[in-house]
Amino acid sequence: MTAAASSLSDTLYKKLEAQILAGKLAPGARLPSQKDVAETENVSRTVVREAVARLAAQGLVVSRQGSGVYVAETAQYKPFQVTRDELAELADVIKLLEMRLALETEMAGLAAARRTTADIGAIREALFAMESAFDDPMVAARADSDFHLAIARATQNHYYERLIEFLGVRLVPPRNMYLRDESEDAHRAYAAKVRAEHEDLVDAIIRMDVPRARDAARHHMQESLSRHSQLSAIALLRPGAQSGD
């Protein structure tokens, strides 16, 4: 498909998606034929096929052999997603951290109230793995996400577990994102600070101190948010930042 056709297909996809989500094309309704859509929108059938294929991939429409294409019964339910591409920009990382601030504060409180001995073992194991992976920021980030997943499991609420498992490493931007130009001493100082924040949180959960666990989680997330916000401010001051370079 040419670039022009791809652009037309994207426009048509967004138009049909908006009509479906707004209920103008109701669940169970049959879409007009590809021929009719092509004529109405003044595009080729190839453009229509591509747009419909994207709708099907998103679960918004279903094809019925010999009958046509229909709006899916669950079409107006749009699942929550955070894609890797969405977190390529620092501003989007900051938005995710803002969401985590509330999420992890309450999650820590529930973990402190409900944790088991096995949960404590899993949390400590993840914390040890994080400290052992200092030399590899990406491995450390995965261990960090495992740490938060272990806390989610300690809530005994599988919805927390599923959400944290879904977010995975998106939860923890690797430190080389914001320390890429810094010395090894700066990396070690950062790792030590984060370790102290984590250890305070773990201690509160072990002691089943709900208010302190909430405070420790909130402090940890606020510190992370502050670090990324400062980096964002510095980036805007760099030459060429206003032009998008």
Side-chain angles (χ1 to χ4, degrees), residues 90 94 97-98 224-234:
L90 189 56
I94 290 171
L97 288 171
E98 289 173 344
S224 184
L225 183 56
S226 176
R227 285 188 287 267
H228 285 81
S229 297
Q230 288 173 5
L231 180 63
S232 179
I234 291 170

Side-chain angles (χ1 to χ4, degrees), residues 130 134 137 140-141 144 172-179 182-198 220 223-225 227-228:
M130 200 187 324
F134 170 80
D144 200 336
V172 189
R175 65 176 182 270
N176 57 0
M177 168 180 269
Y178 41 89
L179 292 177
E182 299 295 331
S183 66
E184 183 174 338
D185 285 345
H187 279 259
R188 290 192 180 280
Y190 166 79
K193 180 173 175 53
V194 171
R195 182 170 61 250
E197 293 169 7
H198 283 159
H220 174 50
E223 287 294 301
S224 184
L225 183 56
R227 285 188 287 267
H228 285 81

Side-chain angles (χ1 to χ4, degrees), residues 21-43:
L21 295 179
K24 293 180 180 178
L25 287 171
R30 184 179 183 277
L31 265 63
S33 68
Q34 289 187 6
K35 177 176 179 293
D36 289 342
V37 174
E39 291 177 354
T40 301
E41 300 296 332
N42 194 28
V43 295

